[in-house]
Amino acid sequence: MSDAIGTEALGKTYPGGVEAVADVTLSVRPGEIYGFLGPNGAGKTTTISMLTTLLRPTHGAAWVEGIDVTLRPEEVRRRIGLVFQRSTADETLTGRENLEVAAGLNGLSPRESRPRIREVLSRLDLTDAADRKASTYSGGMLRRLEIAAGIVHDPSILFLDEPTLGLDPQGRAGFWEYIRDLRGNHGVTIFLTTHYLEEADRLCDRLSILDHGKVLATGTPSALKETLARDAVVVRTSDPSRDLRPVLERLPGVLAVEAVPGDGATRVEVVRAESFVPVVVRACDAAGIEIASVATRKPSLDEVFLSMTGREYREESEGNHREFAAAFGSGRHGGR
Amino acid sequence: MYREFVTVLRREYLKWVRVPIWVASAFVVPVLYLVLFGQAFDLDRLFPAGASGSVYVSRALLGAPDYFSYFAVGMVAFVTLTASLYSGTGVLFDKQLGIHQRIVATPAPRSALFAGTLAFRAFSAAWPAFLAFGVALAFTGVPGLVGLSVRPSVSPLGVGEILLAEALLALMFTALFLSFGYVLDSNEAYFGITTLLNLPILFTSNALFPEATMPAWLQSVTAYNPASLAVNVMRENLFATRGYPYPPEVYLLGLLGWAAALVALALYLSARSLRVR
Ligand SMILES: Nc1ncnc2c1ncn2[C@@H]1O[C@H](COP(=O)(O)OP(=O)(O)OP(=O)(O)O)[C@@H](O)[C@H]1O
Ligand SMILES: [Mg+2]
């Protein structure tokens, strides 16, 4: 088994009958940044907990570097680093002391850990606060300390459960850079869960979309977008009451046409948005319709998610979300 | 194994010194008991010198020169009990704060995690007792205070037995309260149970009162109470004793049995709390 991480029909039903993870089969290659994308309660944390030996699967199996997580958990623990969704910092200790404890429990001597701790603190921008009690840290600093504690012992496989939750854009960008560096220069395999579509899109080599404990799709971000969502062209006329649908529906290459409600715009799904723009312009000219604007939209993971689950993605950063809802309207996904 | 053990010791130490109230109370509580309770309550003074009651008291004290000396040794056991009551809180808080999960995910040997916690907590329960002992001895030099007076010729073996008795007592109380930390999830339950156990353990021992003053049913409980066993080892070695049915080694053996049983229980419960479900 040459996968860094592999699972086979992995599942967990909690005592009391909640089936948090129903059927997860995946394989992560060595040196890959693999994303696990899903809404609240999808089963991301439960999956990570099983992969990191913190929870016993109720069905299926999982391996880390070929080692079965239930049969030889100690050996798995020796290879992994883990960043928890919830802060596990000891707030009575300083940031540095927290890392010393994490390193010591992973078997590092003070001589080995000292330079590592210095490096990790500096990479995560915590050097200045290193000798302050963690109870004085801001939310973002605690998050970065949590990441540091997962990385400090230089694991070959790193699991991160929503690592950038609560980080500002700068912190997030710094984190991405660090993760890419870990993978690029140290060959670390990275498995991360996220809520952020942008993060999944920009950081991950491959990702799986999870909902209700099941993997709905797996692939590279661009492959997912290509197979599951379509380009669109949004046309606005100077007369919003004018119905464009009869004109546009007849054009070649059109997959679907819908009015964007309350907006006077019309949205056309096509195979390639760029080459469709001149077609729209010519057709409107010929029909005597004056165009105010034409915009192209490339598929985003939001759309992938939507087409997979039939639900909009609930994301914390409301900005994307609204733009997306406005562009799509409720024609196809009414009532949400 | 060694590194992880030292890491746990160091973490426990750092957490302990960061809470000044714990450090302070470890110092202050023993002294308060000795000054307030020990000085005020003197069985001897209830009787005029030479009265028959006084003779009875001196016999009940089994060779201790006065009640304060008798009491001060009992205090050593009580201070150990008090200082060990919170041994399980660290484990309890770790579970609530998710730190426990981080520890479970490390490859640290489970025995090292347990041994480190037990060792530090037992040590922090033992030394306030030595402090109390030293303070009680020092009282002999303070005018106006009664002090602990011991036999001038305590043998090195006797000193060794006393130290061992204190170590075993600290170990067994610590293991007992650590066990509650491993089993329980709520603070209320933990503090409820420790409060419930604290005084019964004290009052079913001969730490404060001679067994001779107790009803027979209580005496039979007192004989097996670990605090009594430890205190017997100490008093037999420190005072020109008479009237103990057994030599100190027998009590020491009993104490060893308690410590072994409770450490084994705590070890089992620790392993259980670290097990993955
Ligand atoms: N200990 C537990 N006992 C019972 N049910 C649980 C337990 N832990 C989680 N669940 C349930 O399992 C499901 C999946 O939870 P999980 O924490 O894995 O989701 P998640 O994808 O990590 O969500 P989030 O994005 O909110 O962190 C949820 O419905 C949750 O309520
Ligand atoms: Mg989660």
Side-chain angles (χ1 to χ4, degrees):
Chain A
M1 187 158 252
S2 62
D3 287 339
I5 304 165
T7 71
E8 185 65 53
L10 186 67
K12 175 76 184 183
T13 304
Y14 283 108
V18 180
E19 191 179 36
V21 175
D23 178 9
V24 169
T25 299
L26 54 83
S27 76
V28 180
R29 297 172 203 130
E32 197 168 31
I33 300 180
Y34 196 95
F36 222 44
L37 180 68
N40 290 138
K44 302 183 295 296
T45 299
T46 304
T47 304
I48 276 210
S49 301
M50 289 190 283
L51 293 174
T52 55
T53 78
L54 291 175
L55 261 185
R56 190 175 273 280
T58 43
H59 40 276
W63 306 267
V64 170
E65 292 191 340
I67 302 163
D68 190 303
V69 297
T70 45
L71 298 182
R72 286 144 73 201
E74 303 79 18
E75 287 179 48
V76 171
R77 288 173 187 144
R78 223 164 278 143
R79 290 164 162 79
I80 62 170
L82 175 55
V83 174
F84 290 85
Q85 177 172 2
R86 229 180 102 185
S87 172
T88 60
D90 195 328
E91 301 211 345
T92 51
L93 304 187
T94 66
R96 191 189 307 277
E97 287 162 353
N98 266 288
L99 298 184
E100 285 165 356
V101 170
L105 291 180
N106 278 286
L108 267 66
S109 70
R111 188 196 301 267
E112 291 164 328
S113 64
R114 218 168 288 129
R116 271 298 292 171
I117 290 173
R118 213 175 302 129
E119 181 197 329
V120 170
L121 282 169
S122 128
R123 284 307 300 255
L124 288 159
D125 212 7
L126 287 169
T127 304
D128 292 342
D131 297 308
R132 254 162 54 191
K133 275 195 202 175
S135 56
T136 68
Y137 282 19
S138 73
M141 290 164 81
L142 280 175
R143 203 67 210 126
R144 282 180 275 137
L145 180 60
E146 190 67 30
I147 296 169
I151 292 176
V152 70
H153 57 290
D154 218 353
S156 60
I157 301 192
L158 182 59
F159 291 89
L160 304 110
D161 198 356
E162 305 196 18
T164 57
L165 194 71
L167 288 190
D168 59 18
Q170 195 184 336
R172 206 173 295 179
F175 166 77
W176 291 351
E177 193 190 314
Y178 190 18
I179 290 297
R180 289 197 190 102
D181 175 58
L182 281 175
R183 187 268 299 274
N185 297 331
H186 305 272
V188 179
T189 305
I190 286 145
F191 184 97
L192 63 91
T193 74
T194 183
H195 269 140
Y196 297 113
L197 297 165
E198 189 201 357
E199 182 163 280
D201 200 351
R202 292 182 45 183
L203 185 60
C204 298
D205 300 320
R206 285 196 304 146
L207 56 95
S208 288
I209 294 179
L210 187 76
D211 194 27
H212 297 305
K214 289 200 180 75
V215 172
L216 301 179
T218 297
T220 64
S222 51
L224 285 175
K225 285 184 284 193
E226 271 163 29
T227 53
L228 293 164
R230 297 154 171 179
D231 284 16
V233 173
V234 178
V235 187
R236 244 171 258 276
T237 59
S238 27
D239 173 14
S241 62
R242 177 82 191 251
D243 188 0
L244 286 182
R245 277 179 292 186
V247 178
L248 297 176
E249 264 162 2
R250 273 181 278 119
L251 296 175
V254 170
L255 303 169
V257 181
E258 62 193 15
V260 180
D263 200 32
T266 306
R267 187 176 181 284
V268 191
E269 286 187 5
V270 292
V271 179
R272 265 177 62 77
E274 303 89 297
S275 53
F276 190 70
V277 173
V279 178
V280 170
V281 174
R282 259 180 309 207
C284 287
D285 266 357
I289 300 165
E290 197 183 325
I291 294 179
S293 73
V294 179
T296 60
R297 298 215 189 279
K298 299 302 272 184
S300 68
L301 281 176
D302 299 76
E303 293 169 62
V304 176
F305 190 82
L306 187 64
S307 68
M308 299 285 340
T309 64
R311 283 184 289 146
E312 277 176 22
Y313 197 85
R314 286 164 281 148
E315 198 175 355
E316 273 125 284
S317 58
E318 280 288 310
N320 291 346
H321 178 83
R322 264 191 231 107
E323 183 197 327
F324 158 63
F328 265 61
S330 57
R332 198 171 62 178
H333 320 287
R336 291 205 132 254
Chain B
M1 168 84 198
Y2 167 77
R3 271 175 206 157
E4 290 86 349
F5 174 77
V6 171
T7 302
V8 175
L9 274 188
R10 176 152 179 271
R11 168 167 185 257
E12 293 278 352
Y13 168 75
L14 288 171
K15 287 178 73 65
W16 187 76
V17 290
R18 296 285 153 79
V19 187
I21 186 72
W22 281 359
V23 184
S25 71
F27 276 104
V28 170
V29 168
V31 178
L32 278 184
Y33 271 109
L34 291 168
V35 172
L36 298 178
F37 191 87
Q39 299 295 328
F41 192 79
D42 189 343
L43 289 178
D44 288 328
R45 284 200 217 133
L46 294 175
F47 307 98
S52 61
S54 176
V55 174
Y56 178 76
V57 167
S58 128
R59 200 182 312 138
L61 296 180
L62 299 175
D66 49 62
Y67 178 71
F68 183 82
S69 297
Y70 182 90
F71 160 85
V73 176
M75 220 52 228
V76 167
F78 183 51
V79 168
T80 309
L81 174 62
T82 314
S84 66
L85 281 182
Y86 305 112
S87 302
T89 53
V91 178
L92 195 63
F93 296 156
D94 280 358
K95 282 196 279 189
Q96 292 165 358
L97 298 174
I99 298 172
H100 180 78
Q101 286 287 90
R102 166 166 296 292
I103 294 174
V104 174
T106 69
R110 283 18 191 171
S111 51
L113 298 174
F114 173 70
T117 304
L118 180 71
F120 183 84
R121 294 292 176 148
F123 178 75
S124 68
W127 73 260
F130 290 113
L131 186 79
F133 187 81
V135 168
L137 277 179
F139 277 1
T140 28
V142 181
L145 288 184
V146 191
L148 165 63
S149 32
V150 303
R151 212 158 57 168
S153 57
V154 182
S155 69
L157 177 68
V159 173
E161 286 183 350
I162 291 169
L163 293 178
L164 185 59
E166 174 54 28
L168 288 173
L169 189 69
L171 210 53
M172 69 124 288
F173 279 145
T174 302
L176 173 67
F177 293 112
L178 257 181
S179 297
F180 289 114
Y182 289 127
V183 177
L184 299 173
D185 287 318
S186 93
N187 297 344
E188 288 79 2
Y190 183 87
F191 290 108
I193 284 180
T194 50
T195 309
L196 197 70
L197 285 180
N198 185 15
L199 290 183
I201 291 176
L202 177 69
F203 288 128
T204 59
S205 80
N206 62 14
L208 302 187
F209 301 108
E211 271 150 316
T213 63
M214 299 175 182
W217 64 266
L218 186 54
Q219 279 186 22
S220 58
V221 180
T222 309
Y224 298 100
N225 183 309
S228 305
L229 297 173
V231 158
N232 287 346
V233 174
M234 297 178 193
R235 286 182 184 143
E236 259 199 286
N237 278 298
L238 288 171
F239 305 130
T241 48
R242 14 174 226 278
Y244 281 93
Y246 300 106
E249 292 76 22
V250 172
Y251 300 120
L252 215 42
L253 218 56
L255 208 50
L256 191 66
W258 272 109
L262 284 166
V263 169
L265 174 72
L267 176 62
Y268 165 75
L269 295 173
S270 151
R272 209 185 65 157
S273 86
L274 291 163
R275 197 177 309 146
V276 168
R277 268 176 282 261

